[in-house]
Amino acid sequence: MKKLNKLVILFCLALAVLNCSSDDDNNSIVDNAVTNKITVGDSDFEMNTAIVEPTLNNSVFLSLTNKTQAQIEASYNGTTLNSVDYFTARIGHSDLTSNVTYDLSEISSLEFIVNGDVINSEYENGFSQFYNSGSNSDLEVTSGNITVTNYSVDNLTLTFNFVRSDGTEISGNYNGAFMSLDDEE
């Protein structure tokens, strides 16, 4: 019986040693990886929701934000949102198409503002990171594009790359569900 107890104790110790290995550190890297984000220089901004809104004037309004769909819907009903990061692009086509790259010349409006507020359903305040036309020429985007690799009923997958006039590189990606807003709603 003493031999059996010793074997059980040795077995438990072996399990404890094996479970405390350094592979836990590798898992934390995967868990902390942000897949839907915008990178401006060395700064990453997580994006949680995409919105696609085809309009009547032959363009589509695309936006990404760090807020959830539930928070966005609550803002339509008067809830104030703080610390909102908000990317917008107006693309000169009637709707998005899978496997298409939209060059900067096809994007009539482009802007990314961080740390703003949504008050009475309007975006206010915040700090501009880049745009295609504004008061600070260093923040103006001089080249780039948006590539949509999948646009289906339940998924939007896109990437984009831009360069500001001050040389700062900008990249972004989004892969997930999206809110579709229609002029007729």
Side-chain angles (χ1 to χ4, degrees):
M1 189 67 149
K2 286 183 180 182
K3 283 185 180 181
L4 183 58
N5 285 339
K6 286 181 182 178
L7 284 175
V8 169
I9 291 171
L10 284 174
F11 181 72
C12 289
L13 284 172
L15 282 176
V17 168
L18 289 175
N19 284 332
C20 294
S21 69
S22 66
D23 65 348
D24 292 343
D25 295 338
N26 292 337
N27 290 338
S28 66
I29 293 170
V30 173
D31 293 341
N32 292 332
V34 177
T35 56
N36 294 335
K37 67 180 178 179
I38 296 175
T39 301
V40 180
D42 294 332
S43 301
D44 288 338
F45 302 90
E46 184 175 2
M47 297 289 107
N48 292 314
T49 305
I51 302 170
V52 177
E53 181 180 6
T55 63
L56 295 174
N57 60 353
N58 199 33
S59 65
V60 62
F61 185 73
L62 168 68
S63 61
L64 302 173
T65 183
N66 62 329
K67 298 303 178 185
T68 65
Q69 181 173 340
Q71 290 171 311
I72 294 167
E73 289 171 349
S75 75
Y76 297 154
N77 296 321
T79 299
T80 296
L81 302 178
N82 302 108
S83 302
V84 179
D85 300 339
Y86 189 53
F87 167 85
T88 62
R90 185 169 299 279
I91 301 171
H93 291 268
S94 59
D95 206 355
L96 298 179
T97 305
S98 293
N99 299 312
V100 172
T101 297
Y102 302 99
D103 292 320
L104 189 56
S105 63
E106 298 172 278
I107 303 170
S108 62
S109 173
L110 176 69
E111 187 169 30
F112 182 49
I113 303 173
V114 299
N115 203 25
D117 304 304
V118 174
I119 302 169
N120 296 322
S121 299
E122 296 293 325
Y123 191 80
E124 298 180 14
N125 309 317
F127 301 96
S128 292
Q129 298 297 302
F130 62 86
Y131 38 69
N132 64 344
S133 180
S135 60
N136 182 345
S137 61
D138 284 343
L139 299 180
E140 290 186 7
V141 171
T142 58
S143 63
N145 59 55
I146 298 173
T147 299
V148 176
T149 53
N150 183 41
Y151 180 57
S152 60
V153 172
D154 59 352
N155 180 265
L156 172 64
T157 305
L158 61 86
T159 59
F160 58 82
N161 293 287
F162 297 105
V163 176
R164 285 191 328 203
S165 62
D166 67 357
T168 301
E169 294 185 10
I170 300 160
S171 63
N173 56 292
Y174 183 85
N175 181 4
F178 63 96
M179 295 174 62
S180 179
L181 302 180
D182 206 327
D183 281 342
E184 299 167 2
E185 290 180 352

